[in-house]
Amino acid sequence: AKYFGHDTVARDITLDDLNEEEMELMLSPLYHIQDGRDRNGRVVLYLFNHMLGRCRADTLIRVAYYVWVHIIVPIPEVQTKGAVVV
């Protein structure tokens, strides 16, 4: 409720819940998911921190939440083997 408001507690967060600044960050090269997997079969996620000093912390948190919950976690390998963040 702190980052998305009380009206979103009982429903999934969607792209419509992100503001213009957060959508710009979503479209920036902040995150990259590698096509292949590491030797242990884990998903490799690259976090390019060039935007970390240019955005508000709330913006980064909201985008990170969306990326993890809607993009990373649904990948079957993440659920069984985990992910590596580089």
Side-chain angles (χ1 to χ4, degrees), residues 2-39:
K2 179 178 179 179
Y3 293 105
F4 289 97
H6 293 288
D7 60 323
T8 59
V9 172
R11 67 173 176 79
D12 288 339
I13 303 298
T14 66
L15 285 174
D16 292 333
D17 294 311
L18 301 179
N19 64 33
E20 186 177 328
E21 180 184 13
E22 293 156 354
M23 286 302 296
E24 286 178 20
L25 189 59
M26 283 283 296
L27 296 174
S28 77
L30 179 64
Y31 293 100
H32 174 75
I33 301 172
Q34 182 174 303
D35 288 336
R37 304 296 185 246
D38 72 356
R39 284 192 230 176

Side-chain angles (χ1 to χ4, degrees), residues 5-77:
H6 293 288
D7 60 323
T8 59
V9 172
R11 67 173 176 79
D12 288 339
I13 303 298
T14 66
L15 285 174
D16 292 333
D17 294 311
L18 301 179
N19 64 33
E20 186 177 328
E21 180 184 13
E22 293 156 354
M23 286 302 296
E24 286 178 20
L25 189 59
M26 283 283 296
L27 296 174
S28 77
L30 179 64
Y31 293 100
H32 174 75
I33 301 172
Q34 182 174 303
D35 288 336
R37 304 296 185 246
D38 72 356
R39 284 192 230 176
N40 294 318
R42 297 175 296 196
V43 170
V44 179
L45 174 71
Y46 293 93
L47 174 60
F48 296 102
N49 61 4
H50 68 282
M51 297 295 290
L52 296 182
R54 299 179 186 168
C55 297
R56 296 177 314 130
D58 287 358
T59 299
L60 291 168
I61 290 168
R62 287 170 53 100
V63 169
Y65 176 86
Y66 186 88
V67 168
W68 278 97
V69 170
H70 292 288
I71 299 171
I72 305 299
V73 171
I75 299 172
E77 292 91 345

